[in-house]
Amino acid sequence: MREDVEALDIRDVTANWVNAIVLQAQIDDRIKALADLTHTPLFFGRLDYLHAPGAELAEGAEGEQFYIGRRHVHDADGDPMVIDWRAPVSQPFYRASKKDPQDIALRRRFGYTGGELTAYEDEHLSDPAEAAAVSKLLQQEIERPRVGPMRDIVATIQPEQDEIVRSGLSGSVCVQGGPGTGKTAVGLHRVAYLLYAHRDRLARTGTLVIGPNRSFLHYIEQVLPALGELEVKQATVDDLVAREGLEVGGDDTAETAVIKGDARMAQVLRRAVRSHVTEPTEPLMVVRGSRRWRVPAYELAEIVSELQTRDIRYGAARDALPQRIAHAVLVRMEQAGEAPDDRVQDAVARNAAVKAAVKAVWPPVEPSKLVLRLLSEPEFLAAHAEGILTEDEQKLLLWPKPFRSVRSAKWSAADLVLIDEASDLVERTHSLGHVVLDEAQDLSPMQYRAVGRRCTTGSATVLGDLAQGTTPWATRSWDEALTHLGKPEAAVEELTAGFRVPREVIAYASRLLPSISPGLAPVSSVRETPGSLVVSETADLTADVVSACRDSLAHEGSIGLIAADARIPVLAEALLAAGLPYLSPGEETTARSRLTLVPASLAKGLEYDYVVLDEPAAIVSGEPDERTGLRRLYVCLTRAVSGLTALHTAPLPAPLT
């Protein structure tokens, strides 16, 4: 298939050089999408239908056989050899069961090693004599050692995951899932499914995956390309709100960041933007040729008032104002017996007197300058925050020493979110067709609004775990978060079956749930791995941690050493002294380099076959408050796929003892 595309000659089908460039770019993308993955087979399953799909279920009718894979594959004649996992005919591979065979006689799973067929396993779903059994190949695939970036899960998607993956484009979905439930993979595979089912629409409107940090995005960036999807963009929330010429150079205290992230700030900004409009007090005189046309002040005030009452952006209303004034002038021209047309109205709208009146009544607003004034001028902030923020909250917002200009200001990440909100009040933000928001529990209400602006006319997939919220402004409920996102009608689905973290490890971490997220159901892991959890007190912490890393490297797969951020320099020096080179989060593990040193603040969303956890108490004490610290520890405890070794000198946090 790839060779067929490479052999295409486009010289006779392009009318000009522009068409040639566009068509060649599309061909290049197609070639990339058809790249072979040496470690991944083209098919992983087979379905034998009792009857051909779509045919009448008549007795004696012939069945049909399909191979299921990551991509659609056809032969030289164009006949299908492998069916895309997203096609409707592939759905029973994930949903059919002994209780609901869905007209499937046989489901076959293939086992592979390094891309070579090594095993297969059959389930005769319509045979009542065969008992239901747990698939060993499925379990082996889930437990396969992890080296390199995150991989797709098309061979192991579970029925409850498949329901979310195949949910429609028109509705938004929120997935609450504990560690190891596969929520990130579900979100990425939903994007792949939507691109398959609604390719033309999403090609026009665009799709975006939003992650918590660059390390996380680097970890997941190969999943969609492996499924043939190359056009999905990835970003962090900071990337979304970044503005040219404005760099993040300042930090907020936790108290200040909470206020800046509060949804009430949207009201303050709206007031501040609208405060620039003033009521006209002077009549307007427009001169055209030898005639003068007068629009009285009260009529100008009516036009301005009418625009203010309409729910349109400040900039759009400002653009409409000269046309409204010009229309009032044209009415007078017609009353005087003239017959002006649209060209005359446009000319009047561009008249110097009209432009001057618009500038005086409805001046332009620069969002960054507006936020600069709010954070610098107590009087300006007080005027627009009255009745919304308390005096103490206003004091937290003000910079101790005001900056002179937008360029010299040391903006914080939360400040740029405020500027983004102000920008949307002035001019509408472009909306995409679908947005996936991962680790959503850590966003502030204002950050939710920033993401929501990117999918006002599209849909969203929201992924997160309330128990893993590690910011001072972490969301308390999905209903509240979805309201700020602008998707209050989104369906909330909960994944409680864990496939990644061993049962012993997740049970140990779940001791923290009553303290960090009361009422949240613990994950029930399907994997029982005796010996997967070791918790040990030690006198020489650093030396024993290094020794544990060396022991872990004797196993197959990736190793993560996770520690409080303050401990990272000490451990880095100790690893190098011991001759153990290490990677930073986001760097790709290889067969030769499998150990990653991970600050606790960057552990979220990552996973390793074996984890060595350094001093749990230090991870807790490294956060502003105990609850946030325990949540951070919960994240760190649940990064292991095969085994966790936790070493400590200080007493363990009370919920773990």
Side-chain angles (χ1 to χ4, degrees):
M1 290 170 65
R2 186 174 64 251
E3 288 169 355
D4 287 345
V5 179
E6 290 172 338
L8 289 174
D9 187 348
I10 64 173
R11 286 175 295 182
D12 296 333
V13 297
T14 52
N16 53 54
W17 64 273
V18 175
N19 288 348
I21 290 175
V22 172
L23 185 55
Q24 188 59 53
Q26 292 174 341
I27 289 174
D28 291 343
D29 284 345
R30 176 67 173 160
I31 292 170
K32 288 179 187 174
L34 289 171
D36 282 317
L37 301 175
T38 55
H39 61 282
T40 302
L42 285 172
F43 65 94
F44 52 79
R46 193 183 97 188
L47 288 177
D48 291 4
Y49 276 81
L50 290 170
H51 308 83
E56 302 221 355
L57 304 184
E59 206 173 310
E62 289 189 13
E64 199 165 353
Q65 184 183 96
F66 299 95
Y67 285 88
I68 312 300
R70 289 165 175 76
R71 307 292 310 280
H72 168 81
V73 182
H74 61 249
D75 61 19
D77 297 322
D79 294 326
M81 299 175 68
V82 179
I83 305 299
D84 194 300
W85 66 276
R86 298 167 287 189
V89 76
S90 303
Q91 185 172 308
F93 186 80
Y94 303 107
R95 304 263 190 107
S97 65
K98 294 292 290 184
K99 291 182 179 179
D100 180 19
Q102 299 186 17
D103 200 42
I104 300 298
L106 178 143
R107 172 168 58 200
R108 174 169 289 178
R109 299 182 190 274
F110 294 98
Y112 289 85
T113 301
E116 293 187 358
L117 177 65
T118 55
Y120 67 89
E121 186 179 73
D122 288 347
E123 296 173 88
H124 298 85
L125 298 179
S126 297
D127 183 358
E130 184 179 286
V134 176
S135 168
K136 291 183 179 179
L137 284 181
L138 190 65
Q139 190 169 352
Q140 288 171 5
E141 174 63 21
I142 291 172
E143 297 177 0
R144 185 156 56 92
R146 283 147 172 77
V147 174
M150 182 180 179
R151 57 178 183 253
D152 65 76
I153 61 163
V154 289
T156 62
I157 294 174
Q158 299 299 295
E160 63 271 22
Q161 296 174 328
D162 191 63
E163 288 183 20
I164 298 170
V165 166
R166 295 177 193 265
S167 55
L169 177 62
S170 58
S172 293
V173 178
C174 174
V175 182
Q176 158 64 40
T181 55
K183 56 185 178 297
T184 296
V186 165
L188 294 174
H189 287 68
R190 186 177 183 221
V191 171
Y193 172 77
L194 293 176
L195 286 167
Y196 175 88
H198 308 277
R199 190 167 302 281
D200 290 343
R201 178 176 170 185
L202 289 177
R204 293 192 307 270
T205 55
T207 51
L208 174 68
V209 174
I210 302 173
N213 52 57
R214 282 273 146 211
S215 297
F216 177 83
L217 291 178
H218 185 69
Y219 177 62
I220 67 170
E221 67 184 358
Q222 296 303 319
V223 174
L224 290 169
L227 301 174
E229 303 300 344
L230 306 174
E231 300 300 318
V232 180
K233 298 207 170 12
Q234 296 183 347
T236 64
V237 174
D238 290 346
D239 294 333
L240 292 187
V241 302
R243 294 178 68 85
E244 189 176 349
L246 301 185
E247 294 185 5
V248 175
D251 289 313
D252 292 316
T253 64
E255 295 84 358
T256 299
V258 169
I259 300 300
K260 288 181 178 179
D262 195 299
R264 292 174 297 164
M265 288 301 300
Q267 296 175 263
V268 176
L269 289 164
R270 185 178 180 85
R271 281 187 185 179
V273 168
R274 293 287 173 174
S275 71
H276 289 77
V277 180
T278 57
E279 185 173 334
T281 56
E282 298 290 334
L284 171 64
M285 192 70 69
V286 177
V287 179
R288 277 188 59 81
S290 60
R291 302 293 300 271
R292 295 186 172 212
W293 307 100
R294 182 177 182 275
V295 182
Y298 76 86
E299 189 170 347
L300 292 174
E302 289 175 357
I303 294 172
V304 170
S305 177
E306 191 271 333
L307 284 173
Q308 281 185 299
T309 56
R310 294 183 62 192
D311 188 23
I312 58 176
R313 299 300 193 274
Y314 183 92
R318 187 176 188 275
D319 292 340
L321 181 56
Q323 289 290 338
R324 298 296 180 88
I325 294 173
H327 177 73
V329 173
L330 259 65
V331 169
R332 283 161 174 75
M333 289 181 177
E334 291 169 347
Q335 290 172 344
E338 295 189 17
D341 56 17
D342 290 346
R343 290 175 297 175
V344 174
Q345 180 167 329
D346 290 340
V348 173
R350 294 193 301 269
N351 183 277
V354 174
K355 285 184 176 180
V358 169
K359 187 175 181 180
V361 172
W362 209 295
V365 170
E366 169 53 44
S368 53
K369 290 182 179 178
L370 177 81
V371 175
L372 183 77
R373 287 192 67 190
L374 282 172
L375 301 180
S376 303
E377 301 177 18
E379 298 81 8
F380 187 69
L381 176 61
H384 304 300
E386 184 180 357
I388 300 175
L389 302 177
T390 66
E391 290 186 9
D392 288 341
E393 288 173 330
Q394 292 176 38
K395 288 177 183 177
L396 285 172
L397 287 177
L398 291 166
W399 283 322
K401 184 180 179 182
F403 297 99
R404 292 184 178 181
S405 68
V406 167
R407 296 278 180 172
S408 66
K410 290 187 177 180
W411 300 102
S412 68
D415 295 336
L416 295 191
V417 177
L418 297 179
I419 294 173
D420 190 71
E421 178 84 27
S423 298
D424 186 70
L425 290 167
V426 174
E427 187 174 347
R428 185 182 296 276
T429 304
H430 173 68
S431 176
L432 299 166
H434 192 76
V435 170
V436 175
L437 175 61
D438 205 353
E439 300 296 348
Q441 72 281 346
D442 277 338
L443 269 61
S444 70
M446 291 298 285
Q447 287 175 317
Y448 277 118
R449 291 175 62 87
V451 174
R453 285 191 284 278
R454 272 75 185 177
C455 55
T456 50
T457 58
S459 54
T461 300
V462 180
L463 312 165
D465 179 11
L466 296 178
Q468 295 186 58
T470 51
T471 55
W473 49 83
T475 191
R476 289 167 293 193
S477 75
W478 290 123
D479 287 343
E480 180 183 324
L482 293 168
T483 298
H484 294 312
L485 190 69
K487 306 291 182 185
E489 76 292 343
V492 179
E493 305 286 350
E494 188 169 4
L495 296 176
T496 57
F499 304 99
R500 176 173 57 78
V501 185
R503 186 177 302 171
E504 296 78 7
V505 175
I506 196 65
Y508 184 68
S510 294
R511 296 182 187 182
L512 298 172
L513 284 178
S515 301
I516 61 178
S517 198
L520 199 64
V523 171
S524 176
S525 178
V526 299
R527 295 179 55 211
E528 189 169 354
T529 314
S532 58
L533 174 66
V534 175
V535 180
S536 180
E537 187 173 0
T538 175
D540 192 345
L541 181 63
T542 301
D544 287 345
V545 163
V546 171
S547 178
C549 289
R550 194 184 300 279
D551 292 344
S552 297
L553 286 166
H555 297 289
E556 193 179 358
S558 58
I559 314 298
L561 169 54
I562 304 178
D565 291 29
R567 285 272 295 161
I568 293 298
V570 174
L571 293 172
E573 186 178 342
L575 289 173
L576 292 178
L580 294 178
Y582 62 87
L583 303 168
S584 297
E587 291 185 301
E588 191 170 319
T589 54
T590 65
R592 291 188 175 184
S593 187
R594 298 183 289 122
L595 174 62
T596 304
L597 179 57
V598 187
S601 60
L602 296 181
K604 192 171 296 179
L606 304 179
E607 61 181 30
Y608 302 93
D609 286 290
Y610 292 88
V611 167
V612 177
L613 186 67
D614 173 271
E615 197 65 277
I619 293 173
V620 176
S621 61
E623 298 297 328
D625 58 84
E626 185 184 30
R627 188 185 188 196
T628 304
L630 290 174
R631 286 184 166 187
R632 182 76 71 189
L633 179 58
Y634 180 75
V635 171
C636 297
L637 286 169
T638 54
R639 300 304 95 200
V641 176
S642 297
L644 169 68
T645 300
L647 300 175
H648 67 99
T649 298
L652 290 170
L656 292 181
T657 55

